[in-house]
């Protein structure tokens, strides 16, 4: 992994940074030799050019060496470039890198600084005894090398953390999208089986009703297919789907299921996950006793700025009216949009209350 690289727009920093670093290094060297009073007179002198050039060569050397290490021994084995690749963290190497990179940077600084300072004193200033100056230069630029190494290590680990976090977020989002697609595309086999069975029973005796039945059944599955790639739909569309579903169910249950809603027009334009209400109706019917004496009357009403699914519940024996599985499945679809918007089921005096979160899409 190439963790500490600059973008094309920031490459100019590589040529600017040596100037302040070289100037600061020059000041530190003057302080060591107690000749700071010469700074104003020698600010544009040959020594300043040498310190700036030395800073440039040192930074470029460190950059090349450390980037080479990152290529040869990456912090993560694979970059997330395709869907098939995985990011695996090479944890055992972390503590070793923290120790070795500063030490290696210090070694590179010692080699580069000693080499350039020796050339400068021997061939430019024609001085053979410069051991003290060499120690000072190595000390000053050794500090620069260690700081550079610390920044490099920090940015490298930060890049790895962001890469792994991105992979985790992508996997989480992919899982939520899968749950959402599964929820929207689920086809209740029992509904299809009962629908075809009821169709056979009425196709000869009541051909007109059979024709209406086929139209409504086709609307249900056409709705599922049309919205398989749609994340949200208008509440008005969802109520139309629910109307078709009730028409299909009432052929079997002889109009014992009723859905009433008296919602303001502005609520009908709010957004809902496709098939939410129809899934609740199917779950309710499957888990309830439904006949002429115990009909299901569903009411959609507004309560505390939320849409409420309210009905009297007559649970079948052994189910205890528990629709937890289906609510959990729907909530996984809702978690794709918000962790705070969830369906919650409550019971009050044999009344079943389910809040249905809606979304308001702001048009730009």
């Amino acid at each position: 992994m190439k963790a500490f690289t600059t973008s094309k727009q920031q490459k100019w920093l590589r040529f600017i940074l040596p100037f302040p670093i070289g100037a600061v290094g020059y000041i530190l060297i003057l302080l060591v030799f107690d000749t700071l009073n010469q700074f104003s007179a020698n600010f544009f002198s040959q020594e300043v050019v040498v310190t700036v050039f030395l800073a440039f060569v040192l930074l470029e050397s460190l950059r090349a060496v450390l980037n080479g290490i990152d290529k040869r021994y990456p912090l993560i084995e694979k970059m997330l470039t395709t869907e098939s690749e995985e990011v695996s963290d090479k944890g055992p190497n972390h503590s070793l890198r923290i120790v070795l990179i500063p030490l290696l940077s210090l070694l590179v600084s010692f080699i580069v600084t000693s080499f350039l300072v020796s050339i400068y004193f021997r061939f430019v200033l024609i001085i053979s005894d410069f051991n003290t100056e060499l120690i000072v230069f190595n000390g000053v630029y050794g500090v620069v090398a260690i700081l550079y190494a610390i920044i490099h290590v920090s940015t490298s680990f930060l890049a790895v953390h962001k890469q792994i976090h991105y992979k985790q977020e992508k996997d989480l989002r992919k899982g939520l999208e899968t749950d959402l697609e599964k929820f929207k595309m689920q086809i209740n086999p029992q509904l299809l089986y009962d629908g075809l069975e009821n169709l056979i029973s009425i196709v000869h005796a009541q051909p007109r009703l059979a024709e209406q039945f086929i139209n409504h059944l086709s609307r249900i599955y056409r709705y599922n297919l049309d919205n398989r790639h749609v994340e949200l739909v208008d509440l008005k569309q969802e109520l139309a789907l629910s109307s078709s579903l009730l028409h299909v169910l009432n052929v079997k249950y002889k109009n014992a299921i009723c859905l009433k809603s008296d919602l303001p027009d502005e609520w009908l334009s709010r957004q809902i996950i496709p098939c939410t209400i129809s899934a609740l109706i199917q779950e309710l019917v499957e888990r309830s006793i439904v006949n002429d004496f115990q009909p299901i009357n569903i009411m959609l009403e507004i309560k505390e700025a939320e849409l409420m699914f309210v009905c009297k519940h007559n649970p079948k024996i052994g189910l205890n009216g528990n629709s937890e599985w289906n609510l959990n499945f729907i909530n996984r679809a809702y978690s794709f949009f918000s962790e705070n918007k969830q369906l919650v089921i409550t019971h009050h005096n044999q009344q079943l209350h389910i809040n249905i979160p809606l979304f308001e899409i702001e048009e730009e």
Side-chain angles (χ1 to χ4, degrees):
M1 172 184 166
K2 194 173 181 180
F4 189 72
T5 58
T6 54
S7 64
K8 292 181 179 179
Q9 294 79 7
Q10 296 177 331
K11 284 185 176 180
W12 54 270
L13 288 175
R14 294 166 50 189
F15 301 97
I16 291 181
L17 283 178
F19 290 95
I21 292 176
V24 172
Y26 180 60
I27 294 174
L28 292 176
I29 292 170
L30 293 179
L31 285 173
V32 171
F33 290 106
D34 197 21
T35 56
L36 189 60
N37 57 343
Q38 301 178 10
F39 178 73
S40 58
N42 299 326
F43 184 75
F44 295 103
S45 65
Q46 179 176 280
E47 288 79 4
V48 177
V49 176
V50 171
T51 55
V52 171
F53 177 76
L54 181 56
F56 175 78
V57 175
L58 177 60
L59 292 180
E60 288 298 307
S61 300
L62 291 172
R63 178 178 175 276
V65 171
L66 297 183
N67 282 341
I69 293 176
D70 286 339
K71 287 182 178 180
R72 184 67 179 85
Y73 304 103
L75 283 174
I76 54 178
E77 292 179 352
K78 294 181 179 180
M79 289 290 289
L80 188 62
T81 55
T82 65
E83 294 293 333
S84 61
E85 290 184 349
E86 297 180 353
V87 175
S88 58
D89 198 359
K90 297 178 66 176
N93 293 333
H94 289 171
S95 55
L96 185 62
R97 290 173 63 94
I98 293 175
V99 175
L100 288 182
I101 287 181
L103 292 178
L104 181 61
S105 300
L106 197 59
L107 177 62
V108 171
S109 172
F110 175 77
I111 295 174
V112 172
T113 303
S114 298
F115 177 74
L116 293 179
V117 170
S118 299
I119 292 178
Y120 176 67
F121 277 91
R122 289 182 183 276
F123 300 101
V124 178
L125 298 182
I126 317 299
I127 298 176
S128 58
D129 186 12
F130 52 89
N131 291 333
T132 303
E133 289 80 359
L134 186 60
I135 294 174
V136 173
F137 271 87
N138 275 316
V140 171
Y141 285 96
V143 173
V144 173
I146 291 176
L147 292 176
Y148 186 94
I150 293 174
I151 295 174
H152 174 85
V153 171
S154 301
T155 54
S156 297
F157 280 103
L158 180 61
V160 170
H161 175 75
K162 290 174 64 177
Q163 192 80 9
I164 295 175
H165 183 68
Y166 170 77
K167 177 65 166 56
Q168 292 173 344
E169 289 292 328
K170 188 171 183 178
D171 289 342
L172 177 60
R173 181 179 177 86
K174 186 176 181 180
L176 293 175
E177 288 177 342
T178 301
D179 287 339
L180 180 62
E181 290 300 320
K182 285 182 179 178
F183 171 70
K184 291 191 299 181
M185 287 300 295
Q186 63 177 339
I187 296 179
N188 190 333
Q190 189 63 37
L191 175 65
L192 183 59
Y193 175 80
D194 290 344
L196 295 177
E197 190 177 58
N198 294 328
L199 178 61
I200 294 173
S201 65
I202 66 174
V203 67
H204 296 293
Q206 298 175 288
R208 185 174 181 82
L209 179 60
E211 182 180 349
Q212 294 176 352
F213 182 90
I214 293 173
N215 288 335
H216 286 288
L217 188 63
S218 65
R219 287 177 187 174
I220 294 173
Y221 290 104
R222 186 165 60 246
Y223 180 89
N224 287 338
L225 293 175
D226 290 343
N227 293 290
R228 65 186 183 276
H229 298 307
V230 178
E231 296 177 348
L232 295 172
V233 297
D234 292 340
L235 179 58
K236 184 177 181 180
Q237 294 179 255
E238 186 68 11
L239 292 178
L241 171 67
S242 301
S243 176
S244 295
L245 176 63
L246 289 178
H247 186 93
V248 171
L249 293 174
N250 277 323
V251 172
K252 175 181 179 181
Y253 294 103
K254 300 179 180 180
N255 298 319
I257 307 170
C258 177
L259 174 65
K260 297 180 180 179
S261 63
D262 186 16
L263 304 176
D265 292 339
E266 60 269 18
W267 277 72
L268 297 179
S269 61
R270 297 195 179 189
Q271 304 290 299
I272 188 173
I273 293 178
C275 304
T276 298
I277 297 178
S278 62
L280 293 177
I281 293 175
Q282 292 179 67
E283 182 72 12
L284 178 64
V285 171
E286 290 176 3
R287 297 175 178 270
S288 302
I289 299 173
V290 187
N291 52 47
D292 294 337
F293 302 100
Q294 293 178 308
I296 293 180
N297 295 310
I298 304 170
M299 184 67 186
L300 293 177
E301 58 186 32
I302 301 172
K303 184 178 180 181
E304 297 179 357
E306 280 192 320
L307 180 65
M308 298 297 297
F309 182 98
V310 183
C311 68
K312 184 178 179 180
H313 195 200
N314 301 312
K316 294 179 180 178
I317 297 174
L319 291 178
N320 297 321
N322 183 13
S323 59
E324 180 180 356
W325 178 86
N326 198 54
L327 284 184
N328 287 339
F329 194 78
I330 298 175
N331 281 335
R332 287 199 298 271
Y334 266 93
S335 63
F336 174 77
F337 299 97
S338 173
E339 295 181 356
N340 300 324
K341 292 184 178 292
Q342 299 284 291
L343 275 70
V344 179
I345 183 171
T346 55
H347 296 270
H348 298 290
N349 299 325
Q350 293 187 331
Q351 289 285 329
L352 180 70
H353 295 257
I354 304 176
N355 69 304
I356 303 177
L358 301 178
F359 302 90
E360 291 187 77
I361 307 299
E362 297 182 359
E363 296 184 0
E364 297 182 355

